[in-house]
Amino acid sequence: MSIIFEKMALIGVGLIGSSIAQAARAKNIVGQISVATRRQITLDEAISINIADSYSLSSAEAVRDADLVVLCTPVGASEAIMKEIAGSLKPGAILSDVGSVKGHVQNVIGPLVPKGVHFIPGHPMAGTENSGPLSGFAELFEGRWCILTPTENTDEGALTNLKNFWIALGSQIEIMDANHHDLVVAITSHVPHLVAYNIVGTVDDMETVSKSEVIKFSAGGFRDFTRIAASDPVMWRDVFLTNREAVLEMLGRFLEDLSVLQRAVRVGDGDALEELFMRTRDIRRSIIDAGQEIDEVDFGRTNAPSKEVKREDN
Ligand code: NAP
């Protein structure tokens, strides 16, 4: 493929930043890659897998002369980082991010963007429950959607370049208004995470079932919640702090529906239960048909232990 950006800077080099660096290199679509992160331990991990051309603990230094800057840090860190890099951004550069919440990012970063810099927020709908540079991989974005949330003032040429970048990484693009994005992900991602954190937390607090029983008999559904509930605590704290309204709206709908289900269980309404479970099975089939999940027994798990990335600092 041909070079889309001469220099790309990634601020934050965890799962998403590391995956972008590795994918952009594999596809040969950027000339140089500079990365910055907050802690030396993370920088050392990034260096150990050679994902960039230059490494720094200074975000301002990393973005110098970059044509594309992507913030790959938790959403709550966006404003402080933006204040640090604003004066070092190259005129004409594209500034984007990968944050899971878009309204908040638009509100806090938008006013700090220098004139002549094109700010186009983004959100790759791809991820795993692992964190840190070592958890990244070049294929993460293959076949996944990347949502971009430009405004009516966004420069068309800059938008086309950013779209081409994500397409080259293997993604499909959807353009959306930031607030609509936040509602969509509230129900498809944020509330499911909250439910998983809650179920796993409830089990952890239980006195009548021992922890060893929970671990021993976890195959029956609980285990799949624990995968989601193992997601990065800081990233998810920031998601719920910055997408509060949309999450509360969707959580309200969820709780209403849960009450209906509770009643069906209490009164023994088998027809209602079966009708719902048929509909939900169809949804899973549609997700498989859309290529967003694999059609394998037990989510494609084998008995072999999976590759797990352990970080000593976590
Ligand atoms: P991650 O693996 O935990 O990496 C986070 C990176 O941000 C690290 O380089 C970390 O630096 C840095 N960082 C954390 N707090 C910071 C702060 N206060 N100031 C400056 N830098 C800070 O996270 P990730 O999974 O890549 O997520 C990054 C972003 O992608 C988040 O906004 C998230 O919402 C979004 N996202 C995540 C997923 C997913 O499934 N994980 C999917 C789509 C989008 P140090 O390690 O040096 O402290």
Side-chain angles (χ1 to χ4, degrees):
M1 282 190 200
S2 55
I3 301 288
I4 301 174
F5 296 107
E6 281 305 327
K7 180 177 173 185
M8 170 176 78
L10 302 171
I11 309 304
V13 72
L15 168 71
I16 302 293
S18 168
S19 298
I20 293 177
Q22 295 180 50
R25 257 217 185 144
K27 304 285 184 181
N28 199 22
I29 53 170
V30 294
Q32 267 186 63
I33 303 175
S34 69
V35 297
T37 192
R38 189 178 47 165
R39 294 175 301 161
Q40 187 66 46
I41 182 177
T42 306
L43 203 64
D44 289 343
E45 282 183 2
I47 293 169
S48 75
I49 49 172
N50 183 29
I51 54 171
D53 301 290
S54 57
Y55 303 86
S56 178
L57 290 174
S58 158
S59 302
E61 189 182 306
V63 304
R64 213 154 280 142
D65 297 324
D67 309 289
L68 172 66
V69 174
V70 189
L71 307 185
C72 304
T73 47
V75 176
S78 312
E79 188 174 1
I81 290 172
M82 189 55 205
K83 285 182 176 154
E84 192 190 333
I85 64 173
S88 305
L89 291 168
K90 177 176 156 180
I94 295 176
L95 171 68
S96 190
D97 80 312
V98 295
S100 308
V101 180
K102 298 274 61 90
H104 172 84
V105 165
Q106 209 131 305
N107 292 342
V108 299
I109 294 188
L112 301 170
V113 178
K115 217 166 179 278
V117 170
H118 306 294
F119 173 47
I120 311 171
H123 180 198
M125 305 293 290
T128 74
E129 64 279 21
N130 297 321
S131 312
L134 305 183
S135 63
F137 54 100
E139 301 76 23
L140 179 64
F141 309 108
E142 295 283 353
R144 302 285 168 207
W145 286 94
C146 179
I147 299 177
L148 300 178
T149 62
T151 64
E152 67 246 23
N153 302 323
T154 301
D155 181 83
E156 279 300 323
L159 182 58
T160 302
N161 282 346
L162 189 61
K163 274 189 197 170
N164 288 340
F165 174 79
W166 280 106
I167 290 169
L169 296 190
S171 294
Q172 308 174 71
I173 306 293
E174 184 88 31
I175 301 291
M176 225 180 254
D177 166 77
N179 292 330
H180 185 66
H181 163 277
D182 289 354
L183 270 181
V184 171
V185 293
I187 194 59
T188 58
S189 170
H190 303 174
V191 169
H193 273 79
L194 205 61
V195 170
Y197 282 125
N198 187 52
I199 287 191
V200 178
T202 302
V203 170
D204 191 46
D205 289 340
M206 261 186 192
E207 281 140 19
T208 45
V209 178
S210 74
K211 249 189 202 147
S212 63
E213 282 175 304
V214 168
I215 292 162
K216 199 159 146 194
F217 304 118
S218 68
F222 179 70
R223 184 182 56 178
D224 292 328
F225 282 107
T226 62
R227 186 188 64 74
I228 300 175
S231 300
D232 191 73
V234 173
M235 167 191 155
W236 283 96
R237 176 202 67 192
D238 285 2
V239 164
F240 294 112
L241 292 178
T242 56
N243 199 24
R244 183 170 32 201
E245 249 112 82
V247 167
L248 289 177
E249 186 173 332
M250 292 304 176
L251 198 57
R253 287 285 300 270
F254 170 82
L255 291 172
E256 273 177 33
D257 290 344
L258 191 61
S259 301
V260 172
L261 211 48
Q262 183 184 32
R263 184 169 192 283
V265 171
R266 184 158 39 80
V267 302
D269 187 347
D271 288 346
L273 294 172
E274 194 179 333
E275 189 273 328
L276 174 68
F277 301 162
M278 302 263 282
R279 279 196 285 131
T280 56
R281 192 163 61 175
D282 285 348
I283 291 202
R284 178 159 171 83
R285 285 212 186 103
S286 328
I287 293 171
I288 291 167
D289 290 347
Q292 301 296 310
E293 175 61 287
I294 48 168
D295 187 12
E296 282 187 43
V297 173
D298 207 13
F299 296 92
R301 284 194 192 97
T302 65
N303 288 329
S306 62
K307 177 187 158 224
E308 199 178 318
V309 181
K310 290 233 180 306
R311 303 191 79 204
E312 286 177 1
D313 57 309
N314 276 341

